[in-house]
Amino acid sequence: MPMQKYLAALTLVLMLGMVLTRAAMLRRAGVRAMKFGAMDKRDFLIPPFACFYFYHVFAAAFGWPAADTRTFFESEPIAWAGVAMCGAGLALLLWSLVSFGRSFRVGIDADRPGRLVTTGIFALSRNPIYVGFAVILLGQFLVFPNWILLVYAGAAAWLFHRQVLLEEDFLKHHYGQEYLAYCARVRRYL
């Protein structure tokens, strides 16, 4: 199963690379897309936990020392299903970044929020980036089925939902009826 583990670890590199590359491209175009923590300083509690998650996945993939190496099960077909989910999550993330265009932000940009995006993947889901992240996390759990990744998947679901509610509140106030009409026709997640 080393190949599945390597591919699952690569998923994290590609995921982070896509987001940072898109933010850098926007920066060159004069758009400050990195607004992480601008409205809620508690967001800065997330990076240390994300770093531990990344390390845990890489430790499991490459045999580095880890906090816990026990697994719930070991199954090559399930691990390949996890890799497929990681790939699907990356594809969803890429489609989301392309659909977002110049409106992509990491965090809430109260100063220059951009236009309301309702086309592309956003015609199917109001939060496809979070759905993509969740699919990746579930895929990672299928490749590395241990309690640490299970706890992270649960915590991430809570954090994603919390962020979605914050973003929805901002979008309702900023876009008004246009956003409410969008909410009436497109689901929050799937």
Side-chain angles (χ1 to χ4, degrees):
M1 281 192 359
M3 182 57 70
Q4 296 96 315
K5 292 179 179 184
Y6 298 153
L7 291 171
L10 178 62
T11 298
L12 294 179
V13 174
L14 293 174
M15 177 186 72
L16 191 59
M18 281 195 278
V19 171
L20 294 176
T21 298
R22 185 65 184 138
M25 289 169 63
L26 288 170
R27 177 74 175 197
R28 277 189 236 118
V31 176
R32 290 197 53 201
M34 294 302 283
K35 294 294 184 171
F36 182 81
M39 291 192 76
D40 188 352
K41 299 300 181 207
R42 292 177 295 179
D43 286 348
F44 289 106
L45 296 173
I46 296 171
F49 291 99
C51 287
F52 177 75
Y53 178 88
F54 275 50
Y55 178 81
H56 187 74
V57 167
F58 278 86
F62 296 103
W64 301 344
D68 191 353
T69 58
R70 295 175 291 175
T71 59
F72 294 128
F73 56 84
E74 215 169 295
S75 168
E76 192 165 333
I78 290 176
W80 279 114
V83 169
M85 288 181 74
C86 288
L90 284 174
L92 189 55
L93 176 60
L94 180 60
W95 189 9
S96 301
L97 293 173
V98 170
S99 295
F100 241 136
R102 292 178 57 94
S103 293
F104 172 71
R105 303 291 189 275
V106 176
I108 297 172
D109 186 354
D111 300 325
R112 293 189 174 133
R115 68 177 178 83
L116 179 64
V117 179
T118 61
T119 58
I121 186 65
F122 290 91
L124 305 173
S125 169
R126 295 195 320 255
N127 298 284
I129 288 178
Y130 295 117
V131 173
F133 287 159
V135 170
I136 289 169
L137 287 172
L138 289 174
Q140 298 265 314
F141 173 74
L142 294 179
V143 175
F144 308 107
N146 62 57
W147 69 271
I148 293 174
L149 268 63
L150 184 60
V151 168
Y152 265 88
W158 176 80
L159 283 171
F160 294 160
H161 187 67
R162 174 186 163 269
Q163 184 65 25
V164 164
L165 295 177
L166 291 171
E167 290 174 7
E168 285 179 351
D169 187 51
F170 172 78
L171 294 170
K172 283 177 196 170
H173 287 95
H174 187 76
Y175 297 105
Q177 190 56 43
E178 180 186 8
Y179 181 70
L180 294 175
Y182 173 58
C183 290
R185 69 178 186 276
V186 177
R187 292 174 178 234
R188 179 180 278 156
Y189 296 113
L190 296 175

